[in-house]
């Protein structure tokens, strides 16, 4: 097994972990929101808990996906096109992260 295939596998594992973090975060957010509703805290409090928890899970997932992109790009054959694609992906995910952080 060569180094490139090892790092490609690592990048795929990071992508899976990022997706799992977002999916589990969604489930936890829904459960916490339902728990707030059943405790009688009201819909607005439940929504705020849901929104904050889900936003945090998405932020975590995005950060892990950025790490996966960095690993994948570093281990691939370096080119200007690859660097520009990585820069665009990181820029989009960073803007998403900042906007989610502001909303939270």
């Amino acid at each position: 097994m060569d180094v490139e295939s090892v790092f490609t596998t690592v990048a795929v594992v990071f992508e899976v972990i990022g997706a799992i973090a977002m999916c589990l975060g969604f489930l936890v957010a829904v459960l916490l929101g339902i728990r707030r509703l059943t405790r009688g805290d009201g819909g607005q409090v439940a929504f705020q808990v849901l929104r904050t928890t889900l936003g945090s899970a998405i932020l975590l997932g995005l950060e892990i996906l950025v790490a996966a992109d960095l690993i994948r790009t570093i281990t691939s054959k370096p080119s200007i096109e690859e660097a520009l694609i990585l820069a665009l992906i990181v820029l989009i995910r960073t803007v998403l992260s900042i906007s989610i952080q502001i909303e939270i």
Side-chain angles (χ1 to χ4, degrees):
M1 205 177 213
D2 65 340
V3 174
E4 186 175 338
S5 63
V6 169
F7 281 109
T8 299
T9 303
V10 170
V12 169
V13 169
F14 268 69
E15 289 170 347
V16 169
I17 291 170
I20 289 171
M22 286 189 265
C23 291
L24 287 177
F26 171 76
L27 291 174
V28 168
V30 169
L31 291 174
L32 290 176
I34 291 171
R35 188 174 86 181
R36 288 294 190 139
L37 276 176
T38 58
R39 287 185 173 177
D41 291 337
Q44 189 171 9
V45 172
F47 175 74
Q48 189 62 37
V49 167
L50 175 79
R51 186 175 181 209
T52 303
T53 307
L54 182 58
S56 297
I58 292 171
L59 283 173
L60 175 62
L62 284 173
E63 294 297 326
I64 295 170
L65 291 174
V66 167
D69 289 334
L70 289 171
I71 292 169
R72 187 180 304 276
T73 303
I74 289 169
T75 59
S76 67
K77 295 177 183 173
S79 70
I80 295 296
E81 184 178 320
E82 288 285 329
L84 290 174
I85 290 171
L86 174 64
L88 183 62
I89 290 170
V90 170
L91 177 67
I92 291 168
R93 290 186 177 161
T94 302
V95 169
L96 283 172
S97 294
I98 290 170
S99 64
I100 291 170
Q101 187 66 39
I102 289 170
E103 287 295 319
I104 292 176

